[in-house]
Amino acid sequence: MNKGLLGISNNISSNLDKILLWSKSFQSVCDGKVILIAGDATDEELETLKKNNILPFPVRIKNKNEVNNERIEHTLEFLKNTGTELFMITDVFDVVFQNDPFEKFNLQKYDIFISSEGLKLNEEPWNADVIKKSFPEKLNNVRLDDIVCSGVIGGKTKSLISLFKNMQELLSNSLNGHNIKDQAALIILKNENKIPNLKVFDLNDSWAVHCAVAGPSYEFLNWNLGSILEKRYNIPYIDNGTIYTKDGRLYDIIHQFNRIDDWHDQIIKKYA
């Protein structure tokens, strides 16, 4: 299968360093194409992306305060018109790749690949608050579910189209209580068994690490998240800009490294 990486950004010139970190780290481990959904991009910005081996997909952003929600619509539009069969769809500003993220995919068995943050809804206040404000009728159903992350999603294009259609439908029927609802929609769809042939990786699988909760971030240290995670998983560590599981295996995908100053500085230095 031909493969690709897909993300979205507006304000491309001011965010170019982050975009290049994301794209170049992927290109160093995988021969798939890189596509950026380019919000409100100028002609000069589009040319800059092309010069850096990034294929732009220009779109207009309707509400700059809700890019996280609006990206579902633009991602869906792109997926419906692509010939690429397999994608990683990720956040852009806080994702780097250490290994080919497709290597662990069992495509005979699964169509969609996501990862758990290692915590349940009733153990972490941010996600619970989003669902309470946006989908209050769903909160009691998901309160004991694992938090799965919408910032890193992989899979077969046809199945991703179905997933993003369902996410878009949920968002269109949600309350206007929060400007970041895509992860809440993913959690609800998983709870309701509306993501067929789904694989959920955990921290011990060394596929993706979400540093906001699994590394020494403010939340990890001050919300008691560390003590909860340590009872279930190997807590990752960093060595010279590379992040490993406790038993020394390389994570394929690093997400939210910018939430920890020391980890951010090490990773920037490594890829600069």
Side-chain angles (χ1 to χ4, degrees), residues 104-119:
K104 291 186 174 74
F105 286 10
N106 181 348
L107 296 171
Q108 301 302 313
K109 189 174 182 180
Y110 302 109
D111 294 339
I112 299 288
F113 303 83
I114 59 176
S115 55
S116 166
E117 295 188 1
L119 300 164

Side-chain angles (χ1 to χ4, degrees), residues 170-183:
L170 266 179
L171 264 60
S172 67
N173 292 305
S174 66
L175 300 180
N176 294 322
H178 207 284
N179 65 346
I180 302 176
K181 307 176 189 176
D182 57 331
Q183 184 154 300

Side-chain angles (χ1 to χ4, degrees), residues 66-72 126-127 130-131 133-135 150 167-168 170-188:
E66 296 209 6
V67 176
N68 265 78
N69 298 331
E70 196 172 318
R71 69 177 174 175
I72 303 300
W126 187 85
N127 283 279
V130 176
I131 293 176
K133 291 176 177 176
S134 305
F135 307 97
S150 64
M167 291 173 72
Q168 186 180 45
L170 266 179
L171 264 60
S172 67
N173 292 305
S174 66
L175 300 180
N176 294 322
H178 207 284
N179 65 346
I180 302 176
K181 307 176 189 176
D182 57 331
Q183 184 154 300
L186 184 67
I187 291 167
I188 291 165

Side-chain angles (χ1 to χ4, degrees), residues 191-207:
N191 172 268
E192 296 179 351
N193 296 313
K194 292 181 178 178
I195 313 176
N197 304 319
L198 173 67
K199 169 65 178 177
V200 182
F201 291 105
D202 66 35
L203 267 176
N204 290 346
D205 292 320
S206 70
W207 185 62

Side-chain angles (χ1 to χ4, degrees), residues 2-9 12 19 22-24 26-27 31-39 49-50 52-59 74-75 77-79 81-92 97 102 157:
N2 51 358
K3 299 174 286 190
L5 172 66
L6 179 64
I8 186 171
S9 175
I12 288 169
I19 294 167
W22 169 76
S23 64
K24 288 181 177 180
F26 177 80
Q27 291 162 342
D31 60 2
K33 64 181 72 174
V34 178
I35 302 100
L36 185 73
I37 299 171
L49 293 174
K50 292 174 186 176
N52 284 283
N53 298 314
I54 301 171
L55 302 173
F57 181 70
V59 300
H74 298 306
T75 298
E77 180 186 358
F78 174 82
L79 291 174
N81 294 283
T82 183
T84 302
E85 301 165 288
L86 196 63
F87 269 103
M88 285 299 309
I89 302 173
T90 75
D91 292 346
V92 174
F97 297 88
F102 300 103
T157 300

